[in-house]
Amino acid sequence: MKIGVIGAGAVGGYFGSILQKSGNEVVFLARGKNLEAMKSMGLTVEGENGSFTVQGKFTDRYEDLSDSDLLLFCVKSTDTYKTALRVKPFLKDGSFILTLQNGVDNEAILSTVFEKEKIFSAASYIQVFSKEPGVVRQIGNSPRLVMGGVEESQETAIKEISTFLNLAGIETFTTKNITETKWKKLLWNVTFNPITALLETSVGEVLDNPELKNTAEQICRESINVAKAMGVTLGNSACDEILAQGALARNHQTSMLQDKLRGKKMEVESICGFIVKKGREYNVSTPVLETLYHLLKFQDSRIGSTFSEVAT
C-alpha cells in the first residue's frame, strides 16, 4: 500500500517508519532541518528494543502525495484546515485519510474539505518525541491505536485499515464510538499538558506536588462536565482513571511542552480553548482551565510565528 504522512514529526515519523519498514511505500511530508536530515541520512527511530533507520521519500511537495492510498494526517491541530486545503487538489479518488491528531474537532474540520466517507480517526497512545532532526525516540509501553469512522457506513473500511495496520506491526483496535475514545485522550491531554507546558515540568512532578495535582484534578473534572453537557458518555471514575494513567507516564514530556521548548506554537486552542469555549456555549464553568488557557495563550503569542503548516 502507498502511504502519505503529512507532518513527519514525532508521531507521524514513528508510525510512518513502521509502515515503511514493513514493506510499504511511504512518502513523508516535512520541512526545514528535519527534512534536510531525513533526505541525507533517512529517518531513525530509537526505541526500547533498539533502533532502525528507514529510507523513504522525503519531500515538502504536496503533489508527491498524489498516489497515496492512505494518508496519515499528523499536523498540529492549529493547521488542520489550511493543510487540508493544500493537499486536497492532489489526492486521488479512493484515498483514505486517517487523523492521528490531538483534540476532538479535527474530524469536523476535515469534513468541511473532504467527503466524510474518506475520513477516519484514531487515538494514538504513544510516548514519542523528536530527539533531533531525522531522529524520533519512543519510550514506555508499546504504541497502539484505537480507530473508528465518522460515518456508520465505514465499518468495512475500518476493518480493512485496522487489519492492514496490525499486519504492518502497529497494534490497532477498533471502536464504534471514536468520539468517546478521542474525548478520553483529550481529557488526559488537558489534565497534564497545560500545567506541564506552563511550568516546564514533568507529569510526575505534577502528581508529586499536592497543589499541582489538585489543580490537574480540577481541570479534569471541569472538562468532564463540559463533555457530559455535550452528550459524551463518560464513566463516574473517568477522572481517577486519567490520574492513574498519568502515573504510568511520569517522565513523559507532553506534546505542548515539547512544542514550547522547541520554539513552536502550542496546541492551546485544540487542547484547552475548545473545552473553554464549549463550556461557555453549554453554560458550564471552567475557571481553572480558563485561567491556564489565557496564560498559555499569552506565552504562545510570544513564540515566533514563522513555522509552516507542516508539523515537524
Side-chain angles (χ1 to χ4, degrees):
M1 184 178 287
K2 294 183 179 180
I3 311 296
V5 177
I6 296 188
V11 173
Y14 176 83
F15 287 114
S17 294
I18 297 297
L19 291 169
Q20 177 74 30
K21 184 182 177 183
S22 65
N24 296 284
E25 183 180 334
V26 181
V27 176
F28 298 85
L29 192 72
R31 69 175 184 93
K33 292 182 179 179
N34 194 38
L35 176 59
E36 293 174 7
M38 291 190 292
K39 280 186 172 182
S40 175
M41 299 175 291
L43 176 53
T44 297
V45 174
E46 297 180 353
E48 299 292 323
N49 299 313
S51 63
F52 65 89
T53 300
V54 297
Q55 299 292 337
K57 182 176 179 61
F58 306 107
T59 182
D60 57 1
R61 292 160 38 94
Y62 285 86
E63 50 265 50
D64 290 337
L65 299 167
S66 60
D67 290 333
S68 300
D69 300 306
L70 177 65
L71 194 66
L72 302 187
F73 215 87
C74 304
V75 301
K76 296 300 181 183
S77 297
T78 51
D79 299 311
T80 298
Y81 183 67
K82 59 184 177 182
T83 303
L85 290 178
R86 289 286 300 275
V87 73
K88 182 180 180 180
F90 305 108
L91 282 189
K92 67 179 183 180
D93 292 337
S95 58
F96 292 129
I97 298 165
L98 177 62
T99 169
L100 305 182
Q101 299 164 282
N102 286 324
V104 295
D105 57 342
N106 290 294
E107 296 78 8
I109 295 171
L110 290 171
S111 295
T112 66
V113 180
F114 306 106
E115 297 174 12
K116 286 187 177 181
E117 292 75 15
K118 291 185 175 183
I119 302 168
F120 299 84
S121 181
S124 59
Y125 299 92
I126 181 173
Q127 296 183 56
V128 65
F129 60 93
S130 296
K131 183 178 179 180
E132 59 186 82
V135 180
V136 297
R137 172 75 180 176
Q138 183 268 320
I139 61 176
N141 297 328
S142 298
R144 61 187 177 90
L145 298 177
V146 178
M147 69 164 291
V150 298
E151 295 285 298
E152 292 184 3
S153 61
Q154 296 173 300
E155 185 174 355
T156 299
I158 291 170
K159 291 180 179 179
E160 291 176 352
I161 295 173
S162 64
T163 298
F164 161 72
L165 293 172
N166 275 299
L167 289 174
I170 299 173
E171 188 175 21
T172 305
F173 302 89
T174 62
T175 177
K176 292 185 178 181
N177 193 344
I178 190 61
T179 299
E180 179 183 332
T181 300
K182 294 292 288 266
W183 255 102
K184 287 182 178 179
K185 184 179 180 186
L186 177 59
L187 285 178
W188 194 98
N189 280 329
V190 77
T191 299
F192 295 109
N193 268 267
I195 298 179
T196 57
L198 189 66
L199 301 179
E200 299 184 12
T201 190
S202 69
V203 172
E205 287 177 301
V206 170
L207 293 173
D208 289 342
N209 182 285
E211 290 79 15
L212 293 181
K213 182 180 180 180
N214 181 61
T215 300
E217 184 173 349
Q218 289 184 66
I219 291 173
C220 187
R221 295 196 184 282
E222 289 177 0
S223 302
I224 289 172
N225 289 338
V226 172
K228 288 182 177 179
M230 294 175 63
V232 179
T233 303
L234 297 169
N236 294 329
S237 61
C239 188
D240 292 334
E241 292 173 6
I242 295 299
L243 295 175
Q245 290 169 11
L248 299 176
R250 294 182 55 82
N251 298 319
H252 178 57
Q253 191 177 78
T254 62
S255 60
M256 282 177 63
L257 177 56
Q258 289 185 49
D259 288 337
K260 181 181 178 182
L261 295 178
R262 295 176 64 202
K264 296 179 61 176
K265 291 289 186 180
M266 297 177 283
E267 293 181 295
V268 179
E269 291 299 332
S270 61
I271 292 178
C272 306
F274 174 80
I275 296 176
V276 169
K277 292 169 185 176
K278 286 297 180 181
R280 294 172 185 163
E281 181 181 337
Y282 286 85
N283 199 29
V284 178
S285 179
T286 59
V288 180
L289 177 58
E290 186 165 355
T291 298
L292 267 69
Y293 168 57
H294 291 308
L295 292 173
L296 285 165
K297 277 188 68 176
F298 175 76
Q299 285 194 344
D300 209 42
S301 70
R302 308 183 98 183
I303 295 175
S305 59
T306 57
F307 81 102
S308 90
E309 68 272 15
V310 177
T312 58

